[in-house]
Amino acid sequence: MNDPYATSVAQLKKIAEILKLPSDIVTRLSVHDKFLEVHFPVTMDDGSVKLFTGYRAQHSNVRGPYKGGIRFSPFVNPSEIRALSMWMTWKCAIADIPFGGGKGGVIVDTKTLSESELERLSRAYLRAIYEIIGPTKDIPAPDMYTTSEMMGWMADEYGKLAHGYAPAVITAKPLEKDGSEGRTEATGLGGFYVLQNLAEREHLDPKQTTVAVQGIGNVGYYTARYAHDAGYRVIAIADSKHAIKNDQGIDVDAAIEFKKTHGSLEGMPGTTAISNDNLLTLPVDVFIPAATENVITSENAEAIKAKYVLEMANGPVTSDADMILEKKGIPVIPDVLANSGGVSVSYFEWYQNMHHEHWSKEKVFEELKKKMNSASEEIFAYKESHTISFRMAAYAVGVSRVVEAMKN
Ligand code: GLU
């Protein structure tokens, strides 16, 4: 059975052994400071009222206010939200930003709702969790199937309840609603910087390096586009329905344009259609899962032929699969490092809001690059000196910082 929370606790225990942490610390960090379950009604366009269930987990705030996205998905469940919130604690510590870990979610299939229903749902969820969030308490952001527009609605709703607009309560807002330049590109661009660090370390020449990307939503698209622009050969991409391949490389922007006009990636000139399973097992240099969790599992890990896996989604490799890949000698660059560019620019947005500043895109990208480079260097160096996996090295860096803060 796949139980993400159990996985997150098992990972913590494993790292506690490496770091020789006392058991009371492990016990403390295994549980969340708070876990809120909410049920709230939303009026549908036809006048009927539907009841929704949502959650907000607050794992740890020893390094700063809780921070983490909100996902709208039919598969949202307490175990997943707890795990994702613990991972945010480590991710913020790895990125060395002054936040702890949180995560929220609502059980909903956004594809079945109209725009106005989504707005009412976003506002209703915000009202339901209002008491426990705030610019210095807990700062949400988007995650799967939530958008910057929704963040704008939620910031507005928070302002109404708080009797004053406080944009720093939520990040990744639209630009015209106090969002930050570059937040849209941030996760993908951050992942690209990590890829560059990896390439340098492993002496990979971008022009000779083939890449396959699963998922071309915001995260996958920008990762693929920056890689393509830097000369990497992105030979296969996939959305949730179709996968396409061209050994000479795919022009990512042209593929997105094609999808926009034709409604599907399939049929893009110069490419051949392959199955999603096929994409997973292509003999590429770097495979980038950028869609959802549990994509590489014990069922298919043996068949993975990539030389490296760069986790741009949260939790795309199950812990069983992780062990299989390790045995096969396929290094996995973990989500808590690879996709930390998103929350890093969220921090920049929060900082700008708190200080009434507006940074240029150049400044945001420059600061992001610094963050991603120093986190990568630190983790790569830790891995080298301790001969452990990238994931364990990243956790060691993150967990140590949290434990250090607990002493204060
Ligand atoms: N949902 C993103 C993540 O998992 C971003 C979180 C944030 O910006 O707070 O890292």
Side-chain angles (χ1 to χ4, degrees):
M1 195 189 85
N2 171 45
D3 179 351
Y5 176 45
T7 302
S8 66
V9 173
Q11 288 168 334
L12 174 64
K13 289 192 171 142
K14 205 164 154 191
I15 205 65
E17 264 172 48
I18 295 174
L19 296 174
K20 302 195 176 39
L21 295 179
S23 63
D24 57 329
I25 298 256
V26 181
T27 308
R28 179 69 192 91
L29 288 172
S30 296
V31 291
H32 295 65
D33 289 352
K34 190 174 266 182
F35 187 81
L36 182 67
E37 175 171 329
V38 291
H39 303 278
F40 52 94
V42 177
T43 306
M44 299 290 108
D45 289 344
D46 65 3
S48 66
V49 175
K50 233 172 132 177
L51 195 63
F52 288 88
T53 296
Y55 309 96
R56 183 76 188 167
Q58 297 179 329
H59 175 248
S60 162
N61 66 352
V62 293
R63 298 188 76 256
Y66 306 102
K67 182 88 189 83
I70 296 165
R71 65 171 52 178
F72 285 177
S73 136
F75 309 110
V76 159
N77 62 79
S79 168
E80 174 197 61
I81 297 298
R82 278 198 170 90
L84 287 162
S85 130
M86 192 190 296
W87 290 330
M88 284 309 298
T89 303
W90 316 141
K91 195 187 294 185
C92 292
I94 288 164
D96 208 8
I97 54 179
F99 290 139
K103 200 81 176 194
V106 176
I107 305 173
V108 58
D109 181 357
T110 53
K111 290 185 189 110
T112 63
L113 299 191
S114 71
E115 164 111 354
S116 51
E117 287 169 340
L118 284 173
E119 176 169 353
R120 287 193 293 277
L121 175 85
S122 303
R123 290 179 182 274
Y125 172 67
L126 188 287
R127 288 196 296 275
I129 63 163
Y130 168 73
E131 291 296 340
I132 66 163
I133 64 167
T136 57
K137 268 182 17 194
D138 182 353
I139 305 133
D143 196 79
M144 278 170 68
Y145 301 114
T146 43
T147 62
S148 67
E149 198 171 25
M150 293 173 187
M151 300 303 115
W153 296 327
M154 291 191 203
D156 179 68
E157 196 66 23
Y158 183 87
K160 283 187 199 160
L161 296 170
H163 303 293
Y165 180 53
V169 69
I170 214 154
T171 57
K173 300 176 293 294
L175 258 184
E176 64 282 6
K177 288 188 176 169
D178 296 291
S180 175
E181 301 285 346
R183 177 62 183 85
T184 313
E185 300 93 324
T187 313
L189 179 57
F192 165 70
Y193 289 144
V194 175
L195 176 65
Q196 289 284 73
N197 276 275
L198 178 75
E200 208 170 290
R201 178 185 186 271
E202 304 286 293
H203 310 294
L204 306 174
D205 170 10
K207 301 219 159 26
Q208 310 295 328
T209 304
T210 54
V211 177
V213 183
Q214 187 206 35
I216 43 159
N218 170 279
V219 174
Y221 164 65
Y222 281 108
T223 314
R225 210 197 77 190
Y226 285 109
H228 171 80
D229 291 353
Y232 290 84
R233 246 187 318 136
V234 180
I235 65 158
I237 56 173
D239 62 14
S240 59
K241 294 195 184 69
H242 302 284
I244 54 171
K245 178 172 174 270
N246 175 352
D247 286 331
Q248 304 318 310
I250 296 170
D251 179 339
V252 181
D253 273 333
I256 298 291
E257 248 343 282
F258 183 87
K259 187 182 166 177
K260 259 188 213 146
T261 42
H262 295 81
S264 156
L265 283 175
E266 212 167 38
M268 157 108 184
T271 65
T272 45
I274 55 170
S275 73
N276 235 305
D277 285 348
N278 201 321
L279 174 118
L280 236 65
T281 55
L282 286 176
V284 284
D285 291 300
V286 189
F287 174 57
I288 306 183
T292 180
E293 55 251 46
N294 303 336
V295 170
I296 304 182
T297 64
S298 53
E299 316 261 282
N300 59 19
E302 277 302 344
I304 302 291
K305 293 183 204 72
K307 293 204 184 91
Y308 301 91
V309 174
L310 181 73
E311 291 188 327
M312 290 305 293
N314 284 318
V317 178
T318 65
S319 39
D320 292 347
D322 213 27
M323 284 188 304
I324 299 174
L325 294 181
E326 203 171 337
K327 273 201 202 106
K328 281 171 68 85
I330 302 174
V332 179
I333 316 302
D335 47 7
V336 283
L337 168 66
N339 71 26
S340 66
V343 75
S344 292
V345 175
S346 272
Y347 164 58
F348 301 155
E349 179 173 327
W350 176 84
Y351 182 94
Q352 291 169 74
N353 293 158
M354 294 297 266
H355 295 85
H356 306 286
E357 288 179 14
H358 187 84
W359 296 2
S360 68
K361 199 179 249 191
E362 289 69 34
K363 180 172 165 71
V364 170
F365 285 178
E366 200 181 298
E367 295 296 325
L368 175 64
K369 192 173 185 176
K370 273 193 233 160
K371 277 248 163 277
M372 301 313 295
N373 285 351
S374 65
S376 304
E377 278 160 24
E378 203 160 3
I379 288 163
F380 291 180
Y382 196 99
K383 173 188 161 51
E384 221 104 285
S385 55
H386 292 76
T387 45
I388 50 177
S389 67
F390 281 110
R391 192 185 307 282
M392 282 300 119
Y395 273 67
V397 169
V399 173
S400 306
R401 286 199 180 128
V402 174
V403 171
E404 202 45 49
M406 286 169 91
K407 292 184 191 149
N408 301 329

